[in-house]
Amino acid sequence: MKRIAVFPGSFDPITRGHENIVRRGASMFDEVIVAIGVNTTKQSMFSLEVRKKWLVDTFADLPHVRIETFDGLTVEFCKKNEATYLLRGLRNGGDFEYERTIAHMNKALWPELETILVFTDPEYASVHSTVIREIIKNKGDVSQFVPTKVNIYE
Amino acid sequence: MKRIAVFPGSFDPITRGHENIVRRGASMFDEVIVAIGVNTTKQSMFSLEVRKKWLVDTFADLPHVRIETFDGLTVEFCKKNEATYLLRGLRNGGDFEYERTIAHMNKALWPELETILVFTDPEYASVHSTVIREIIKNKGDVSQFVPTKVNIYE
Amino acid sequence: MKRIAVFPGSFDPITRGHENIVRRGASMFDEVIVAIGVNTTKQSMFSLEVRKKWLVDTFADLPHVRIETFDGLTVEFCKKNEATYLLRGLRNGGDFEYERTIAHMNKALWPELETILVFTDPEYASVHSTVIREIIKNKGDVSQFVPTKVNIYE
Amino acid sequence: MKRIAVFPGSFDPITRGHENIVRRGASMFDEVIVAIGVNTTKQSMFSLEVRKKWLVDTFADLPHVRIETFDGLTVEFCKKNEATYLLRGLRNGGDFEYERTIAHMNKALWPELETILVFTDPEYASVHSTVIREIIKNKGDVSQFVPTKVNIYE
Amino acid sequence: MKRIAVFPGSFDPITRGHENIVRRGASMFDEVIVAIGVNTTKQSMFSLEVRKKWLVDTFADLPHVRIETFDGLTVEFCKKNEATYLLRGLRNGGDFEYERTIAHMNKALWPELETILVFTDPEYASVHSTVIREIIKNKGDVSQFVPTKVNIYE
Amino acid sequence: MKRIAVFPGSFDPITRGHENIVRRGASMFDEVIVAIGVNTTKQSMFSLEVRKKWLVDTFADLPHVRIETFDGLTVEFCKKNEATYLLRGLRNGGDFEYERTIAHMNKALWPELETILVFTDPEYASVHSTVIREIIKNKGDVSQFVPTKVNIYE
């Protein structure tokens, strides 16, 4: 049976921390689906098209990494794609509590779903999309925090 | 002197975690007042009437549990009701920091008020109203997370 | 039914933090048993007699606070004393994880036993017996950290 | 070389915790700039003028504490003022994770910038501007949480 | 390539939490090696033979779970067994910090080694070998905390 | 007035994390005293002479960093050396709770003493002397975790 993992997020924008987790996940699973959650109530800084393009470009060298968009519950998206693994990166203790809550509730909704966690490598552990957006708003340079294929000001 | 405890919250909706804490509190105190905080600036998913009905139905078997609504400061509500105990459930380390801040500030405002904490039983420790609302928005089944008297889609 | 709480510890020596919790517990429960755990494998700095005397002196003004010693499991001591409450103080996030583990395992051993937590008042939250012993070993002055009835160097 | 530190915040309103950190910082550095961040998207409770006046009044006795306002990135403000220190207070474990993220990202943006942390003194560690605003909205008395020069209801 | 994971520990004794993690790991990896670390300086409560027998009995139904003992560094044991995954269970925030430290240092020693974490299911999250040993010393009943094949007092 | 900071520890052995903090502290203070605490009850892996030599060699390029040994309370050592700053590195949330306790108790013992914290740079945040000693015991290579001047196996 194929081992398929979903790596969900809003990727607004994708960070080097995200890239780090996906690349490591790509060597663990037969397929990794990077799934951009479409949240109609939360305004994103970058359009869905741009966010998707950055993901596609960043993982162009990995044939078994697929970029998708989804709305609705993450567990439903996983079921539909026969993905029994949810891949998540842990940066710090704050992430921990949040991820555990979500993992336990997802497992309650679909017991087959296993949440797999890896620690973000230390050099990326302080990279947060929220802070990156703040820097962008103030015209700062974020190139060291995002993958090389991401060109914020193009 | 009667020992009266207030268990405040928005209960949007009540969860099995809330039920767990109130039932345990009911055997500790002479009276437990479940107090729905009315926050005029935060939009709730369920109307005050529905939230109150669910609480009334859930605790119908406990005569010394009373359901009330309040606006303003929790400490003022406690004073008015001669309740010197504030009952709170601790799920995880994230709750801890928040609860301590609130408890210390409440005690500064009214030194007689004692905040009493119990650990949410493990099976309910990952149940959060926020996540439940997210599942409801996406038409998922939340029946295992809310008390049996709560019928979300009726 | 009488509400009896046990406040267990090694009290080597009793701190102002311990005193703070017991005094607050004394106004919540009909009886508080301060229970000195006798651990035959861990060497204490002060003899059981001295530790007990300090507790007796410190709570001499509270007739419904009783000082006892016990060995074996805390839950067994609680059962024997018909104490269905275990009183604990929470200082910080490190305490939190430890207390939750112990509370859940105690409840598994005796489901009637309810662990009740209160936050140590801020001015005592950094007072630890371990650090006090370290200061004593180095002949420092610990009088501000222990109850006034405790005379370390007498 | 003059050691200049920036203490940034929104000070909506200034708390005794803020005052505590600035006074201690004032004895460590040759100059402390208390910098009110102007955030055009977040609505403040008090006007910039009022917030600035309260800061000026509170630190009127400290000639080397200067009150400034800024928009844009904190690191840019530091650079422009030749301030190589960012002064921050740590209240609890929740602060810790947030401060570390910000400190690491700031250092990545400007490696000369050193974030210096001090623990808020215990009696102020539970004082949060957010909770103070909540109390003010409900007409409660916050005088014990803010510096004596701050007159909320004047 | 075979995906081999090592689940190291002292298993003194094995708990239901350990069993939970190994069973879930067994459905993720082609082989799981449960590796009992032999620590010559730390005295164990149960002999290596007994601990190994309990593990063998508990996982007798899982042909691709192998029980081994090792001394020396965990990374060396992994290398020798061509195991590029280290499987770990996360119970709480205290585990988190410890596991991250070990994971990062292990990765520094052998960059191929990937630490994979799963959250212990809620009902087992408070089960610790240390507390179990304490209960055993005091002749308490630990049968609900250990796998059914483990007979402590036989 | 000269700003003197003490950086206390057992340095058994010194790590790159320690080096990181001292070098950064050296640019903040007029003098940094690296103080090796002599603990007569805890057995160290390396002799006091070796630990001191490694510190002297590592900071030979920094004339205002002084290496000293001390027994007794840290605050007494600070007083004797007219050092009103205690410099500490924060790696993670576990460090945080411990450091806060010690800082508050030290301040209670000597109110002039200010504890100054900096975050360990991310690449060193998982480096712990305890784990390094474990690797050394098992003949592993720790050269990437200790300063270049430290030759463990010479």
Side-chain angles (χ1 to χ4, degrees):
Chain A
M1 210 188 74
K2 247 177 105 177
R3 285 171 176 109
I4 306 175
V6 165
F7 182 65
S10 55
F11 307 105
D12 187 31
I14 177 180
T15 68
R16 294 208 176 182
H18 295 140
E19 186 186 5
N20 175 246
I21 302 299
V22 172
R23 290 194 175 277
R24 288 158 60 193
S27 73
M28 290 180 225
F29 297 99
D30 299 314
E31 184 170 10
V32 174
I33 305 174
V34 180
I36 314 176
V38 178
N39 191 328
T40 49
T41 59
K42 227 174 80 186
Q43 181 72 36
S44 66
M45 174 173 262
F46 296 101
S47 74
L48 190 57
E49 290 67 40
V50 165
R51 286 182 279 155
K52 190 166 179 181
K53 183 188 176 304
W54 284 336
L55 286 165
V56 168
D57 290 355
T58 298
F59 302 115
D61 60 317
L62 295 172
H64 59 303
V65 171
R66 214 169 81 205
I67 318 299
E68 299 279 353
T69 61
F70 76 104
D71 54 14
L73 291 179
T74 307
V75 292
E76 292 306 322
F77 178 78
C78 292
K79 263 191 207 168
K80 221 167 36 199
N81 285 277
E82 296 180 346
T84 52
Y85 298 99
L86 207 52
L87 176 66
R88 301 293 292 161
L90 281 177
R91 286 170 304 198
N92 55 44
D95 281 354
F96 171 83
E97 302 281 6
Y98 174 78
E99 293 294 338
R100 186 174 54 181
T101 295
I102 298 296
H104 284 162
M105 291 195 80
N106 279 338
K107 197 167 197 174
L109 290 171
W110 189 34
E112 264 97 308
L113 189 65
E114 190 68 75
T115 298
I116 297 292
L117 305 126
V118 294
F119 291 113
T120 306
D121 283 340
E123 56 270 42
Y124 309 117
S126 288
V127 177
H128 281 231
S129 289
T130 315
V131 188
I132 289 178
R133 286 198 300 274
E134 202 57 38
I135 298 172
I136 293 171
K137 268 183 224 159
N138 290 295
K139 316 271 181 255
D141 177 11
V142 298
S143 54
Q144 65 180 309
F145 305 126
V146 296
T148 48
K149 297 285 175 57
V150 175
N151 195 335
I152 296 289
Y153 300 110
E154 81 187 342
Chain B
M1 210 187 73
K2 247 178 105 176
R3 286 173 177 107
I4 307 176
V6 165
F7 182 64
S10 54
F11 306 106
D12 188 31
I14 178 180
T15 68
R16 293 207 176 182
H18 297 139
E19 187 186 5
N20 175 247
I21 301 299
V22 172
R23 291 195 175 277
R24 288 157 61 194
S27 74
M28 290 180 225
F29 296 100
D30 299 313
E31 183 170 10
V32 173
I33 306 174
V34 181
I36 315 176
V38 178
N39 191 328
T40 49
T41 59
K42 226 174 82 185
Q43 181 71 36
S44 66
M45 173 173 263
F46 297 101
S47 74
L48 190 56
E49 291 66 42
V50 165
R51 285 182 280 156
K52 188 165 181 182
K53 184 189 175 302
W54 283 337
L55 286 166
V56 168
D57 290 355
T58 298
F59 301 115
D61 60 316
L62 295 172
H64 60 303
V65 171
R66 215 170 81 205
I67 319 298
E68 298 281 353
T69 60
F70 77 105
D71 53 14
L73 291 179
T74 307
V75 291
E76 292 306 322
F77 178 78
C78 291
K79 261 191 208 168
K80 220 167 38 200
N81 285 277
E82 297 179 347
T84 51
Y85 298 100
L86 206 51
L87 176 66
R88 302 293 292 161
L90 281 178
R91 287 170 303 199
N92 55 44
D95 281 355
F96 171 83
E97 302 279 7
Y98 174 77
E99 293 294 338
R100 187 174 53 179
T101 294
I102 299 295
H104 284 162
M105 290 195 79
N106 279 338
K107 197 166 196 174
L109 288 171
W110 189 34
E112 264 96 306
L113 188 64
E114 191 68 77
T115 298
I116 297 292
L117 306 125
V118 294
F119 291 112
T120 307
D121 283 340
E123 56 270 42
Y124 308 117
S126 288
V127 177
H128 282 230
S129 290
T130 316
V131 187
I132 290 177
R133 286 199 301 274
E134 201 58 37
I135 299 173
I136 293 171
K137 269 183 223 158
N138 289 295
K139 317 273 180 250
D141 177 12
V142 298
S143 54
Q144 65 180 309
F145 305 126
V146 296
T148 49
K149 296 285 174 55
V150 175
N151 194 336
I152 297 287
Y153 301 109
E154 81 187 342
Chain C
M1 210 187 73
K2 248 176 103 175
R3 285 171 177 107
I4 307 175
V6 164
F7 182 65
S10 55
F11 306 105
D12 187 31
I14 178 180
T15 69
R16 293 208 176 182
H18 295 139
E19 186 185 6
N20 175 246
I21 301 298
V22 172
R23 290 196 174 275
R24 287 157 60 193
S27 74
M28 290 180 225
F29 296 99
D30 300 313
E31 183 169 10
V32 173
I33 306 174
V34 181
I36 314 175
V38 179
N39 191 328
T40 48
T41 58
K42 226 175 80 185
Q43 181 72 35
S44 66
M45 172 172 263
F46 297 100
S47 74
L48 191 56
E49 291 66 40
V50 165
R51 285 182 280 155
K52 189 167 180 180
K53 183 187 177 303
W54 283 336
L55 286 165
V56 168
D57 289 355
T58 298
F59 302 115
D61 60 317
L62 295 171
H64 59 304
V65 170
R66 214 169 81 205
I67 318 299
E68 298 281 352
T69 61
F70 77 105
D71 54 13
L73 291 179
T74 307
V75 292
E76 292 306 321
F77 179 78
C78 291
K79 262 192 207 169
K80 220 166 39 198
N81 285 278
E82 297 180 346
T84 53
Y85 298 99
L86 206 51
L87 177 65
R88 302 293 292 162
L90 281 178
R91 287 170 303 198
N92 55 44
D95 280 355
F96 171 83
E97 302 280 6
Y98 174 78
E99 293 295 338
R100 187 174 53 179
T101 295
I102 299 295
H104 284 163
M105 291 195 80
N106 278 338
K107 197 166 196 174
L109 289 171
W110 189 33
E112 264 96 309
L113 188 65
E114 191 68 75
T115 299
I116 297 292
L117 305 125
V118 294
F119 290 113
T120 306
D121 284 340
E123 58 269 42
Y124 309 118
S126 289
V127 178
H128 282 230
S129 290
T130 316
V131 188
I132 290 177
R133 286 199 300 275
E134 202 58 37
I135 299 172
I136 294 171
K137 268 182 224 158
N138 289 296
K139 318 270 180 254
D141 176 11
V142 298
S143 53
Q144 64 180 308
F145 306 126
V146 297
T148 47
K149 296 286 174 56
V150 174
N151 195 336
I152 297 288
Y153 301 109
E154 82 187 339
Chain D
M1 210 187 73
K2 245 177 106 178
R3 286 172 176 109
I4 306 176
V6 165
F7 183 64
S10 54
F11 306 105
D12 188 31
I14 177 181
T15 68
R16 294 208 176 183
H18 296 140
E19 188 186 3
N20 175 245
I21 301 299
V22 172
R23 289 194 175 276
R24 287 158 60 194
S27 74
M28 289 180 226
F29 296 99
D30 299 313
E31 182 170 10
V32 173
I33 306 174
V34 181
I36 315 176
V38 178
N39 190 328
T40 49
T41 59
K42 228 174 82 186
Q43 181 72 37
S44 66
M45 173 173 263
F46 297 101
S47 73
L48 190 56
E49 290 66 41
V50 166
R51 286 182 278 154
K52 190 167 179 180
K53 184 189 177 304
W54 284 337
L55 286 165
V56 168
D57 289 355
T58 299
F59 302 116
D61 59 317
L62 296 171
H64 59 305
V65 171
R66 213 169 82 205
I67 318 298
E68 299 280 353
T69 61
F70 76 105
D71 53 14
L73 291 180
T74 307
V75 291
E76 292 305 324
F77 179 78
C78 291
K79 262 190 209 170
K80 220 167 35 199
N81 285 277
E82 297 181 344
T84 52
Y85 297 99
L86 207 51
L87 176 66
R88 303 292 292 161
L90 281 178
R91 288 169 304 198
N92 56 43
D95 281 354
F96 171 83
E97 302 280 7
Y98 173 78
E99 293 295 338
R100 188 175 51 180
T101 295
I102 299 297
H104 284 162
M105 290 196 80
N106 278 338
K107 198 167 196 174
L109 289 172
W110 188 34
E112 265 96 306
L113 189 64
E114 191 68 77
T115 299
I116 297 293
L117 305 125
V118 294
F119 291 114
T120 306
D121 283 341
E123 56 271 41
Y124 309 117
S126 288
V127 177
H128 282 230
S129 289
T130 316
V131 187
I132 289 177
R133 286 198 300 275
E134 201 57 39
I135 299 173
I136 293 171
K137 270 183 222 158
N138 289 295
K139 318 269 179 254
D141 177 12
V142 298
S143 54
Q144 65 182 308
F145 305 126
V146 296
T148 48
K149 297 283 173 57
V150 175
N151 195 336
I152 297 289
Y153 301 111
E154 80 187 342
Chain E
M1 209 187 74
K2 249 176 102 177
R3 286 173 177 107
I4 307 176
V6 164
F7 183 65
S10 55
F11 306 105
D12 188 30
I14 178 181
T15 69
R16 293 206 176 184
H18 296 139
E19 186 186 5
N20 176 246
I21 301 300
V22 172
R23 290 194 174 277
R24 287 158 60 194
S27 74
M28 288 181 226
F29 296 99
D30 299 312
E31 183 168 10
V32 173
I33 306 175
V34 181
I36 314 175
V38 179
N39 190 328
T40 49
T41 59
K42 226 174 81 187
Q43 180 73 36
S44 66
M45 174 173 263
F46 297 101
S47 74
L48 190 57
E49 289 68 40
V50 165
R51 285 183 280 155
K52 189 167 181 181
K53 183 187 177 304
W54 284 337
L55 286 166
V56 168
D57 289 355
T58 298
F59 301 116
D61 60 317
L62 295 171
H64 59 304
V65 171
R66 213 169 83 204
I67 318 299
E68 299 279 354
T69 62
F70 76 105
D71 53 14
L73 290 180
T74 307
V75 292
E76 292 306 322
F77 178 78
C78 291
K79 262 191 210 171
K80 220 166 38 198
N81 285 277
E82 297 180 345
T84 53
Y85 298 99
L86 206 52
L87 176 66
R88 302 292 293 162
L90 281 177
R91 288 170 304 200
N92 55 44
D95 281 355
F96 171 84
E97 301 280 6
Y98 174 77
E99 293 295 338
R100 188 175 51 179
T101 295
I102 299 295
H104 284 164
M105 290 196 80
N106 279 337
K107 197 167 196 173
L109 289 171
W110 188 34
E112 265 96 307
L113 188 65
E114 191 68 77
T115 298
I116 297 293
L117 305 125
V118 294
F119 290 114
T120 307
D121 283 340
E123 57 271 40
Y124 308 117
S126 289
V127 176
H128 282 229
S129 290
T130 316
V131 187
I132 290 177
R133 286 199 299 275
E134 201 58 36
I135 299 173
I136 293 171
K137 269 183 223 158
N138 289 296
K139 318 267 180 257
D141 177 12
V142 297
S143 53
Q144 65 181 308
F145 304 126
V146 295
T148 48
K149 296 285 173 55
V150 175
N151 195 335
I152 297 288
Y153 301 110
E154 82 186 340
Chain F
M1 209 187 75
K2 245 177 106 177
R3 287 173 175 106
I4 306 175
V6 165
F7 182 65
S10 54
F11 305 105
D12 188 30
I14 177 181
T15 69
R16 293 208 176 182
H18 295 139
E19 187 186 4
N20 176 245
I21 301 300
V22 172
R23 290 194 175 276
R24 288 159 59 195
S27 73
M28 289 181 226
F29 296 99
D30 299 313
E31 182 169 12
V32 174
I33 307 174
V34 181
I36 315 175
V38 179
N39 191 327
T40 50
T41 60
K42 228 173 82 187
Q43 181 73 37
S44 66
M45 173 173 263
F46 297 101
S47 74
L48 191 56
E49 289 67 39
V50 165
R51 286 183 279 156
K52 189 165 180 181
K53 183 188 177 304
W54 284 336
L55 286 165
V56 168
D57 290 354
T58 298
F59 301 115
D61 60 318
L62 296 171
H64 58 304
V65 171
R66 214 168 81 204
I67 318 299
E68 298 280 352
T69 61
F70 76 105
D71 54 13
L73 291 179
T74 307
V75 292
E76 292 306 323
F77 178 78
C78 292
K79 260 191 211 171
K80 220 166 37 197
N81 285 276
E82 297 180 347
T84 53
Y85 298 100
L86 206 50
L87 176 66
R88 302 292 293 162
L90 281 177
R91 287 170 304 199
N92 55 43
D95 281 355
F96 170 83
E97 302 280 6
Y98 174 78
E99 293 295 338
R100 187 175 52 181
T101 295
I102 299 296
H104 284 163
M105 292 195 79
N106 278 338
K107 197 167 197 173
L109 289 171
W110 189 34
E112 263 97 308
L113 188 64
E114 191 68 75
T115 299
I116 298 293
L117 305 124
V118 293
F119 291 114
T120 307
D121 283 340
E123 57 270 41
Y124 310 117
S126 288
V127 177
H128 281 230
S129 289
T130 316
V131 187
I132 290 177
R133 286 199 299 275
E134 201 58 38
I135 299 172
I136 293 170
K137 270 183 221 157
N138 289 295
K139 318 269 180 256
D141 177 12
V142 298
S143 54
Q144 66 180 306
F145 305 126
V146 295
T148 48
K149 297 284 175 56
V150 175
N151 195 336
I152 297 289
Y153 300 111
E154 82 187 340

